[in-house]
């Protein structure tokens, strides 16, 4: 199973499990997250790039994978994603580098998967 499939399968399975508890606060938080990244004064592409920078600086690998995937879906180019990674590394410092490596690996797998489809 690829990195992309493994991540997406796990995320879907666990989100379904979490939602099965029917907790109002958790549902509202998930809804807030979904609505925050919807089209608004900023377009979705910009919001996903911002989310990716924040996720890299906070060093959340699952969040990074999620936002890298969303950036890919939004049609971000290699040049754009590298600028996003550059900002994250500048803001976050050298501690971000291991997460940057994994983000590049995930990006490259998304691209390879996309060209295989």
């Amino acid at each position: 199973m690829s990195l992309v499939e493994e991540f997406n399968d796990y995320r879907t399975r666990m989100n379904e499990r979490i939602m099965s508890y029917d907790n109002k606060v958790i549902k509202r938080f998930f809804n807030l997250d979904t609505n925050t990244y919807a089209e608004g004064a900023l377009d979705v592409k910009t919001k996903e790039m911002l989310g990716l920078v924040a996720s890299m600086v906070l060093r959340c690998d699952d969040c990074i994978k999620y936002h890298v995937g969303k950036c890919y879906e939004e049609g971000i180019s290699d040049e754009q994603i590298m600028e996003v990674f550059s900002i994250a590394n500048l803001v976050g410092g050298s501690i971000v580098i291991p997460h940057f490596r994994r983000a590049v690996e995930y990006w490259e797998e998304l691209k390879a998967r996309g060209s295989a489809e």
Side-chain angles (χ1 to χ4, degrees), residues 11 29-55 58 63 66-67 70-71 74:
R11 184 176 180 280
F29 185 79
F30 275 47
N31 184 274
L32 177 64
D33 180 69
T34 298
N35 284 309
T36 298
Y37 285 94
E39 190 82 21
L42 295 174
D43 61 23
V44 172
K45 184 176 178 178
T46 300
K47 288 181 176 188
E48 289 302 337
M49 290 188 288
L50 290 168
L52 177 54
V53 168
S55 296
L58 293 169
C63 304
Y66 176 80
H67 289 292
K70 288 297 191 180
C71 285
E74 289 298 315

Side-chain angles (χ1 to χ4, degrees), residues 1-115:
M1 184 178 287
S2 76
L3 278 174
V4 174
E5 291 168 332
E6 184 179 320
F7 174 72
N8 288 330
D9 289 351
Y10 176 78
R11 184 176 180 280
T12 298
R13 185 176 73 252
M14 290 312 300
N15 280 350
E16 288 171 359
R17 185 73 193 117
I18 289 165
M19 288 300 163
S20 76
Y21 284 94
D22 201 29
N23 179 281
K24 180 171 55 173
V25 174
I26 290 171
K27 282 183 168 185
R28 286 182 176 173
F29 185 79
F30 275 47
N31 184 274
L32 177 64
D33 180 69
T34 298
N35 284 309
T36 298
Y37 285 94
E39 190 82 21
L42 295 174
D43 61 23
V44 172
K45 184 176 178 178
T46 300
K47 288 181 176 188
E48 289 302 337
M49 290 188 288
L50 290 168
L52 177 54
V53 168
S55 296
M56 290 182 74
V57 170
L58 293 169
R59 302 184 308 275
C60 174
D61 283 328
D62 279 2
C63 304
I64 292 167
K65 286 176 184 172
Y66 176 80
H67 289 292
V68 166
K70 288 297 191 180
C71 285
Y72 180 80
E73 288 173 14
E74 289 298 315
I76 292 182
S77 68
D78 286 345
E79 294 79 13
Q80 289 172 316
I81 199 81
M82 284 300 155
E83 285 191 17
V84 171
F85 291 155
S86 297
I87 293 166
N89 277 282
L90 179 66
V91 173
S94 62
I95 198 165
V96 173
I97 293 171
H99 305 277
F100 172 44
R101 289 183 190 116
R102 288 188 288 275
V104 169
E105 177 184 29
Y106 198 78
W107 176 256
E108 289 177 350
E109 186 164 318
L110 283 166
K111 288 186 354 175
R113 232 179 112 204
S115 63

